[in-house]
Each structure stands twice: as C-alpha cells, then as structure tokens.
C-alpha cells in the first residue's frame, strides 16, 4: 500500500489555497471598475434636462467644455459608473443634457448622482479654474426632477497673480499653520448642487490657499492667483496645530473684497490678528 508523504499533502493544499486566492482576487479586480452607458437620444416627458452657459465674467463663451451626468454605485466587490448624459458646450458656451433618473436608491452600499463640468481642457496658465468640477447630488433630490428643466450657469474667470503682504506689528502669533486664502464665486445660477471642493461654504465658491509663515514682528509676502473680473475675498487664515485642525481656516486677519482687473498691479496688504477658535467662519 502506498502512503503519500505528509509534506506532499501540505504542499498540495497550499497550492490549492494560492490558486483559490488568486481566482478570488481576479474576480474582485474584474468586478471593480465597470462602466455602462444609459444615454437617451431625445428627452421624453419624464426626462430631466440640465441647461446653461459656461462663460468668462465678461461674457466670452467657453466652447467644447464637456458636461456630463453620472450615477455611481459602490458595492462589496467594486463600483459601477452609469453614464446618464454627455454633452459639450457649443460656440456660444451653451450646453444641454437630458436623462432619466430611473434607478432605485440603495442599489449599492453607497450610491449617488454626479453632475460634472470638465474644465481641465482649459489652459492652466490662463484660467483660474482648469480642472474637472464634480457636484454630488443626494438621490432624494431627484424625485421631483421628472419632466423638469434645471438651469446651471458658470462664470469661469481668467487668472492673475497678485502679491499679498501680511503685516504683524507685534501681535501674538498662535502656534500652527497659516495661509493666505482667496475665495470667489463661479456658479451663477442654480441651487440643487453641493460643491465637493468647498464643503464649508455655499456651492460655487472657489477657495485658494497659499501657505505662509507669520513673523513675530514684521512683514512677509506671498503670490497667489486672483480671479479677474469678479470680487475676490482675501484674508489670512489659521489651519490649526498638531492637536486641532481647521481645513477651511479660521480668520487671522481682517478680510478684504477686491475686484481684480487685467491692469491691477498693486500689492494687497493684510494686518495679522491672533485667530480665535470661537470665530471660525468668514463674514463674506
């Protein structure tokens, strides 16, 4: 009678385990990134339509800007993206997309709609926003959309670099990280979206932070992008220390609202103030 050596049996079991793990990993990997199109050729009576313009503040149209509406589903073995609508702005900056919101909420562990305007096609040295904007929309917001038209207009400014000087006349400097913050609006119409870029302010406000050190007594300067043709709200903010963090920043200077033109060549001066954790929000 032949008896298999225990080592051979263990080796076989290990080999089968490795194969099983590899097959499971392959299944999960294949399941992770799936994309489907559910585009409709024409709107129907139950379709939702989103229209609007993408222009600069002076009215110059931005053509060939991709616009889309997607449904994201995340489950145990991965995620699925269902493309509901796709389009581009025309030569007048106008876009129109339409879709059916016919999914049942709760298809996955986490699901949501996303409306996107892809400004990454714009040159980064010319425009202050040149990246994809994603607006996340709760599923329950879409129940009343059937058969409706929603307008969403965007005003995308040109960019100009401006020097901001921070002055401290001996005021106590709280330990931690500081930045010069510039904020402006770029979303001119609509209230159904929430802005993933700036969770602490209203939708459609763009924030730029430029890190800076605060002198104990003296001045320091930073160069930060400003939006041309719109109001820029600028101030020093405090981001916190190793114990407490404030991603949106606590005011650490007076705030100034300045409208920048292409001919603007002045420095902007801000007076440092010790930040107060009980005063966390801009008044702009």
């Amino acid at each position: 009678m032949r008896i298999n050596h225990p080592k051979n049996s263990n080796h076989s079991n290990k080999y089968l385990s490795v194969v099983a793990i590899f097959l499971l990993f392959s299944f999960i990997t294949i399941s992770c990134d799936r994309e489907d199109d559910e585009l409709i050729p024409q709107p129907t009576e139950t379709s939702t339509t989103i229209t609007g313009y993408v222009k600069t503040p002076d009215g110059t149209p931005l053509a060939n800007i991709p616009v889309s509406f997607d449904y994201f589903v995340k489950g145990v073995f991965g995620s699925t993206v269902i493309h509901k609508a796709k389009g581009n702005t025309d030569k007048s900056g106008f876009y129109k997309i339409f879709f059916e919101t016919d999914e049942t909420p709760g298809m996955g562990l986490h699901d949501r709609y996303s409306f996107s305007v892809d400004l990454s096609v714009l040159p980064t040295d010319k425009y202050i926003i040149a990246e994809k904007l994603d607006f996340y929309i709760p599923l329950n917001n879409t129940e009343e959309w059937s058969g409706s038209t929603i307008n969403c207009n965007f005003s995308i400014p040109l960019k100009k670099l401006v020097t901001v000087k921070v002055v401290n006349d001996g005021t106590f400097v709280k330990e931690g990280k500081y930045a010069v913050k510039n904020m402006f609006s770029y979303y001119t119409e609509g209230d159904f979206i929430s802005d993933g870029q700036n969770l602490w302010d209203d939708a459609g406000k763009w924030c730029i932070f430029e890190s800076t050190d605060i002198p104990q007594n003296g001045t320091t300067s930073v160069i930060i992008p400003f939006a041309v043709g719109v109001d820029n709200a600028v101030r020093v903010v405090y981001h916190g220390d190793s114990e407490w963090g404030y991603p949106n920043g606590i005011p650490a200077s007076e705030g100034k609202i300045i409208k920048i033109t292409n001919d603007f060549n002045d420095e902007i001066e801000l007076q440092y103030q010790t930040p107060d954790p009980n005063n966390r929000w801009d008044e702009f």
Side-chain angles (χ1 to χ4, degrees):
M1 181 182 353
R2 181 177 179 181
I3 301 176
N4 289 331
H5 194 279
K7 285 187 177 181
N8 292 335
S9 178
N10 289 339
H11 180 75
S12 177
N13 289 336
K14 288 180 180 179
Y15 175 77
L16 292 175
S17 298
V18 170
V19 171
I21 293 172
F22 176 78
L23 291 174
L24 178 60
F25 177 78
S26 299
F27 171 74
I28 293 174
T29 302
I30 293 172
S31 304
C32 274
D33 299 314
R34 204 184 97 207
E35 295 190 30
D36 292 326
D37 283 343
E38 288 189 1
L39 310 175
I40 57 176
Q42 295 293 333
T44 69
E45 292 182 354
T46 60
S47 298
T48 300
T49 301
I50 303 179
T51 67
Y53 287 89
V54 183
K55 299 181 177 182
T56 62
D58 66 0
T60 302
L62 298 178
N64 299 316
I65 303 296
V67 179
S68 60
F69 194 90
D70 301 303
Y71 179 51
F72 291 84
V73 184
K74 289 187 177 181
V76 176
F77 296 111
S79 61
T80 300
V81 180
I82 300 175
H83 301 296
K84 305 292 292 181
K86 297 178 181 179
N88 290 277
T89 57
D90 62 18
K91 64 181 181 180
S92 69
F94 179 76
Y95 70 89
K96 178 180 180 180
I97 57 174
F98 39 84
F99 51 89
E100 299 285 343
T101 55
D102 53 2
E103 284 81 13
T104 301
M107 286 178 61
L109 295 178
H110 176 69
D111 48 355
R112 60 173 170 78
Y113 287 107
S114 178
F115 171 55
S116 301
V117 180
D118 192 355
L119 301 172
S120 65
V121 296
L122 297 175
T124 58
D125 61 335
K126 185 176 180 181
Y127 291 91
I128 197 166
I129 304 177
E131 60 187 77
K132 187 178 180 181
L133 302 179
D134 293 316
F135 304 96
Y136 304 136
I137 303 164
L139 292 175
N140 55 10
N141 282 18
T142 63
E143 295 177 358
E144 58 190 43
W145 289 6
S146 179
S148 65
T149 298
I150 301 168
N151 294 314
C152 295
N153 296 325
F154 297 87
S155 179
I156 309 303
L158 298 174
K159 176 171 67 175
K160 185 175 182 62
L161 298 179
V162 176
T163 299
V164 177
K165 182 169 65 174
V166 182
V167 180
N168 183 12
D169 294 329
T171 303
F172 168 72
V173 178
K174 187 177 179 66
E175 183 179 351
K177 297 180 179 179
Y178 291 87
V180 174
K181 174 184 176 182
N182 184 28
M183 181 172 66
F184 60 90
S185 297
Y186 66 90
Y187 181 51
T188 60
E189 183 177 347
D191 59 2
F192 80 101
I193 60 177
S194 60
D195 184 354
Q197 190 268 346
N198 184 21
L199 300 177
W200 294 270
D201 290 292
D202 296 336
K205 289 185 179 179
W206 193 262
C207 291
I208 299 172
F209 298 91
E210 188 68 37
S211 298
T212 185
D213 293 325
I214 304 297
Q216 295 294 333
N217 194 338
T219 65
T220 188
S221 295
V222 299
I223 298 175
I224 184 170
F226 273 64
V228 176
V230 299
D231 288 337
N232 294 257
V234 60
R235 73 176 343 140
V236 180
V237 294
Y238 174 67
H239 282 307
D241 54 22
S242 57
E243 184 176 359
W244 297 98
Y246 309 98
N248 200 44
I250 296 175
S253 78
E254 81 282 14
K256 292 185 177 181
I257 297 180
I258 300 174
K259 192 166 187 175
I260 300 295
T261 65
N262 285 319
D263 298 327
F264 186 90
N265 290 313
D266 297 332
E267 284 188 346
I268 298 172
E269 183 174 305
L270 300 175
Q271 188 75 36
Y272 170 77
Q273 300 170 356
T274 304
D276 179 5
N278 294 318
N279 178 24
R280 301 189 183 187
W281 310 110
D282 289 332
E283 72 269 16
F284 300 123

